[in-house]
Amino acid sequence: MNKKDALHFKAKLEKEKKLLEEELGTVAKINPENPEHWDASPAIEVDSADDNEVADKMEELESNEAIIEQLEPQLKEVKAALARIEEGTYGVCEVSGEAIEPERLEANPSARTCIAHMNDKLS
């Protein structure tokens, strides 16, 4: 991959990273003990007298956790793609070692495999 293409995809990934972090920030905060993990908000006050309020908070917490479960792995993949750009391995299929198709990277800049191997399980 040439430098111009790498810069193009780096900009796309940085934008996606920012959007994911902003969206996560609306429902969670970074865990200070593990900066790669987000904890759902809001904190529930145990001594609340209103059962309906507690139920609403529990429902909101569950909803926030579902959002985190979806967005946190996406953010991890984006960060990994940015690391591959820095390492010079971005755009190379992790299964075949061949170049990932540019149209695949345009559609999914954090792709780790080419189209032929996109359904292969990677650890």
Side-chain angles (χ1 to χ4, degrees), residues 1-80:
M1 172 167 295
N2 66 44
K3 187 171 182 146
K4 181 181 175 187
D5 290 341
L7 288 173
H8 166 74
F9 289 114
K10 182 176 182 176
K12 286 184 76 135
L13 287 161
E14 290 286 355
K15 183 178 178 182
E16 185 175 353
K17 178 180 177 241
K18 182 179 179 196
L19 290 171
L20 287 167
E21 288 174 338
E22 286 173 357
E23 192 166 345
L24 277 164
T26 65
V27 296
K29 55 188 171 190
I30 295 175
N31 181 329
E33 295 172 13
N34 180 1
E36 293 298 314
H37 182 69
W38 293 73
D39 290 329
S41 301
I44 297 174
E45 297 175 21
V46 179
D47 61 345
S48 180
D50 184 358
D51 288 342
N52 289 330
E53 185 179 339
V54 171
D56 288 346
K57 292 288 186 184
M58 288 297 293
E59 186 176 325
E60 183 180 350
L61 183 64
E62 289 172 3
S63 175
N64 290 351
E65 287 174 346
I67 293 168
I68 292 167
E69 285 180 28
Q70 179 183 4
L71 297 181
E72 200 173 43
Q74 289 177 324
L75 180 59
K76 183 180 176 184
E77 288 296 322
V78 167
K79 287 180 176 181

